[in-house]
Amino acid sequence: MPLVPPDSPLLKKTPVARKPAVARKKPAVKRKVVKKKKPLALEWKFAIVGLMLILLSPFYYGYIIKGFSSTWRWVKEWGQDPNYRTYSSFDIRIPKKHSIHGIDVSYYQGKIDWRKVKAMKEDEVSVKFAFIKATEGILSVDPYFQRNWREAAKAGIVCGAYHFFRPQKSGEWQAKFFLQTVKFEEGDLPPVVDIEQLNGVDPASMRKELQEFISYVEKKTKVKPIIYSGLTFYKDYLKGHFDEYPLWIAHYHQAKLKVSGDTNWFFWQHSDKARITGINHVVDFNAFNGDSTAFERLRIPKILSY
């Protein structure tokens, strides 16, 4: 094959004509059309503000919670006596037909935070009054009496003091010992004598000494003392003998105090297992037989020194 000279026109490349570049168009950006919201009418603004105030109000939530709690309690206590329902805070059932409630304490409850006792409340139930053990027999003073007597009153609880009676001891001497220990003041509850046992003496001798105690206390304070006893002891040994004196009767875990209508009772100790905030042991729980007017009338008026 003949060689082609390097400068031959056959070896020269013919330039290829290129198409002119076409400029690409950027896709058009679609703009969102924002529709202007119509302003809320003034009435709607007020309605929304009012609704927010209601929803954020603690009273609203209190009402809702209370309604829910009431409904749940109604379901939980289906079939139970509606006048003797359980109060979970106090861990006992409480008769509903009484509006004034209280406790009684002694050294057994130990050191008590009376401010917490006063603050405790479930529905309409709270501790309004407290009976505090002061003395026993002719020699024994409750070691927590002075502290309880002072601190309970400071917390705003109406106080009463009681003496644990020993029938084999002189009633008059026990009364003197009691009044030497307790200084009753205006607004206190009347003095209380706690009689629960015969301690080996016959019923007549017990009643004789008890009458001496009561007579001495009444003479010195010008106030009728309250007699405390269990229902059975009262029926067996006291009924018909001290009917002119106000009674405080112990009768546990019942919807109603089972005494005759003419019984002169003012207080009912209906439970010995209550749980109270500020007290580390179970405590007796009591109901007053009357309204707030009757309760105020029972309290000691201005008392002369004795």
Side-chain angles (χ1 to χ4, degrees):
M1 179 179 293
L3 295 174
V4 180
D7 56 351
S8 172
L10 294 175
L11 294 177
K12 292 182 180 179
K13 294 182 179 180
T14 306
V16 179
R18 295 184 178 181
K19 294 181 180 179
V22 179
R24 294 184 180 179
K25 293 183 179 180
K26 294 182 179 180
V29 178
K30 293 183 179 180
R31 295 184 179 180
K32 293 182 180 179
V33 179
V34 180
K35 294 182 179 180
K36 292 185 178 181
K37 294 182 179 179
K38 295 181 179 179
L40 287 173
L42 189 60
E43 294 83 357
W44 278 103
K45 289 182 180 179
F46 279 118
I48 292 171
V49 171
L51 180 62
M52 292 300 294
L53 288 174
I54 292 173
L55 292 176
L56 294 175
S57 170
F59 297 105
Y60 172 77
Y61 285 102
Y63 177 81
I64 294 296
I65 292 171
K66 185 176 180 180
F68 177 78
S69 300
S70 299
T71 303
W72 171 245
R73 185 171 63 237
W74 179 80
V75 172
K76 184 179 178 182
E77 297 178 0
W78 177 267
Q80 293 186 15
D81 186 343
N83 294 317
Y84 187 51
R85 76 169 182 84
T86 299
Y87 285 73
S88 58
S89 299
F90 297 93
D91 200 25
I92 58 170
R93 301 175 77 186
I94 298 176
K96 287 186 67 176
K97 291 186 176 181
H98 302 278
S99 59
I100 300 175
H101 307 269
I103 59 177
D104 57 277
V105 299
S106 68
Y107 71 93
Y108 177 75
Q109 277 72 38
K111 188 176 181 180
I112 297 173
D113 188 331
W114 285 101
R115 293 188 182 280
K116 289 184 178 179
V117 173
K118 177 64 176 176
M120 185 180 182
K121 186 174 183 179
E122 181 178 341
D123 294 345
E124 73 282 4
V125 176
S126 62
V127 176
K128 169 78 172 177
F129 63 87
F131 285 111
I132 301 167
K133 184 179 180 182
T135 50
E136 179 176 334
I138 57 175
L139 293 174
S140 178
V141 176
D142 189 287
Y144 279 90
F145 170 68
Q146 294 298 343
R147 183 185 187 280
N148 286 333
W149 190 246
R150 179 183 67 251
E151 297 300 320
K154 281 170 59 177
I157 293 174
V158 179
C159 294
Y162 73 90
H163 172 82
F164 191 89
F165 191 78
R166 292 295 185 183
Q168 72 274 32
K169 307 290 184 181
S170 164
E172 183 176 337
W173 278 101
Q174 291 187 72
K176 289 179 179 179
F177 178 53
F178 177 52
L179 293 183
Q180 285 171 1
T181 305
V182 186
K183 299 303 177 185
F184 289 97
E185 297 179 357
E186 181 180 355
D188 292 336
L189 291 171
V192 177
V193 55
D194 177 346
I195 174 67
E196 306 177 32
Q197 305 166 353
L198 290 175
N199 291 138
V201 305
D202 61 87
S205 297
M206 176 272 294
R207 286 191 289 266
K208 174 180 174 296
E209 297 301 335
L210 180 60
Q211 185 62 66
E212 286 189 5
F213 180 98
I214 290 172
S215 298
Y216 186 88
V217 171
E218 185 174 3
K219 177 183 176 182
K220 291 296 182 178
T221 64
K222 305 298 186 292
V223 176
K224 279 188 177 297
I226 298 171
I227 299 175
Y228 167 92
S229 189
L231 181 60
T232 301
F233 193 93
Y234 162 72
K235 287 182 175 180
D236 290 346
Y237 305 116
L238 302 177
K239 188 175 181 180
H241 297 277
F242 302 93
D243 293 346
E244 69 273 24
Y245 292 94
L247 295 173
W248 172 18
I249 299 177
H251 184 46
Y252 299 146
H253 318 307
Q254 302 293 323
K256 185 178 180 182
L257 179 57
K258 297 176 181 178
V259 293
S260 59
D262 60 347
T263 305
N264 189 30
W265 71 274
F266 281 69
F267 295 94
W268 170 23
Q269 188 183 84
H270 58 79
S271 178
D272 58 346
K273 299 183 183 300
R275 292 287 181 181
I276 307 293
T277 305
I279 303 178
N280 294 325
H281 297 276
V282 292
V283 64
D284 300 328
F285 210 75
N286 304 269
F288 174 70
N289 184 28
D291 58 15
S292 58
T293 302
F295 185 80
E296 291 302 316
R297 197 162 51 237
L298 180 66
R299 297 172 68 177
I300 297 175
K302 189 172 183 179
I303 191 169
L304 300 175
S305 59
Y306 50 85

